[in-house]
Amino acid sequence: IAGITQAPTSQILAAGRRMTLRCTQDMRHNAMYWYRQDLGLGLRLIHYSNTAGTTGKGEVPDGYSVSRANTDDFPLTLASAVPSQTSVYFCASSSGQGTYNEQFFGPGTRLTVL
Amino acid sequence: SQKIEQNSEALNIQEGKTATLTCNYTNYSPAYLQWYRQDPGRGPVFLLLIRENEKEKRKERLKVTFDTTLKQSLFHITASQPADSATYLCALDIDYGQNFVFGPGTRLSVLP
């Protein structure tokens, strides 16, 4: 693994189903983030984690949950998907050291909820 | 209300000219501002960061300015090339690495 990976690449999901988007980084970064990107709205922060064991809510957290059991993994779960959660989801990480927080992004997961 | 805007959704310029993209924000006090490049179907890639106490930053053909009084950042690409065609995003760090706000992006097309 080099950098940050996401799985799956894309997914079509029936409304009401549970879905977990996976994110793994091998840069030993402390901070990780989940964003959704919608046309005309840009990237919006869903949840973040400053370090393993801690998580926080971003701008649009409703309907999503995250966990951070270790440094490398930061899964995003949709407990009961709804069509408004159709979007492209990006995971990102940063070293979290000081205030120089360059973010490294994964390739994204395109999710369609029908 | 809090808002972050980028000057235009799309910008077309001729190869060799300087592209200037604008990022304006209201009711935020960011510690620093970042610029990213995003190509279709890919995640954003970091380009430059400028802190609130810095006026200007340069990296090769890129230059960023940051005016906290005007609440504006300008992003310049000099001697633009068709390979510079992409969407450019500005992002504010509004909580020291815990919360970022992105602008909607400007899609730049450099015409040969």
Side-chain angles (χ1 to χ4, degrees):
Chain A
I1 298 176
I4 186 163
T5 59
Q6 293 183 237
T9 302
S10 64
Q11 182 76 42
I12 298 173
L13 190 66
R17 297 298 294 268
R18 180 185 179 89
M19 175 74 192
T20 295
L21 307 185
R22 300 185 298 279
C23 175
T24 298
Q25 54 103 358
D26 66 354
M27 297 174 281
R28 306 304 293 172
H29 282 168
N30 287 324
M32 297 187 76
Y33 313 87
W34 273 106
Y35 294 88
R36 59 178 291 172
Q37 187 172 38
D38 303 288
L39 199 61
L41 294 176
L43 284 158
R44 291 182 292 168
L45 183 65
I46 305 171
H47 284 287
Y48 64 89
S49 169
N50 288 330
T51 189
T54 68
T55 63
K57 294 182 180 180
E59 180 186 353
V60 289
D62 294 342
Y64 305 95
S65 64
V66 292
S67 62
R68 187 88 184 276
N70 57 60
T71 298
D72 298 344
D73 301 300
F74 191 42
L76 176 74
T77 297
L78 290 67
S80 179
V82 295
S84 62
Q85 292 178 312
T86 293
S87 187
V88 181
Y89 290 86
F90 288 100
C91 180
S93 71
S94 70
S95 65
Q97 299 300 316
T99 58
Y100 193 84
N101 280 315
E102 168 188 352
Q103 294 180 74
F104 294 82
F105 283 83
T109 292
R110 183 175 296 274
L111 181 67
T112 303
V113 183
L114 302 175
Chain B
S1 64
Q2 297 176 313
K3 199 163 51 172
I4 178 170
E5 297 177 317
Q6 295 188 237
N7 57 328
S8 57
E9 188 176 328
L11 180 66
N12 296 329
I13 65 165
Q14 210 65 37
E15 182 177 6
K17 301 292 186 184
T18 295
T20 298
L21 285 62
T22 305
C23 178
N24 293 292
Y25 60 94
T26 56
N27 295 324
Y28 288 117
S29 297
Y32 55 88
L33 186 147
Q34 301 175 335
W35 283 90
Y36 289 81
R37 169 185 172 136
Q38 186 174 24
D39 292 288
R42 295 181 174 271
V45 175
F46 173 81
L47 296 174
L48 279 171
L49 172 151
I50 186 164
R51 294 183 173 83
E52 60 181 333
N53 60 350
E54 295 176 319
K55 295 290 187 187
E56 182 179 297
K57 241 347 179 6
R58 291 176 184 263
K59 179 182 176 182
E60 299 173 352
R61 294 184 296 112
L62 309 179
K63 184 177 86 170
V64 173
T65 63
F66 194 15
D67 189 324
T68 55
T69 301
L70 292 178
K71 295 187 182 294
Q72 181 181 79
S73 175
L74 299 178
F75 177 79
H76 306 273
I77 306 175
T78 59
S80 60
Q81 305 165 0
D84 295 326
S85 298
T87 295
Y88 291 86
L89 310 170
C90 65
L92 305 179
D93 180 340
I94 60 173
D95 194 13
Y96 293 94
Q98 296 188 128
N99 203 343
F100 290 86
V101 179
F102 278 78
T106 295
R107 188 173 66 252
L108 175 69
S109 296
V110 180
L111 308 173

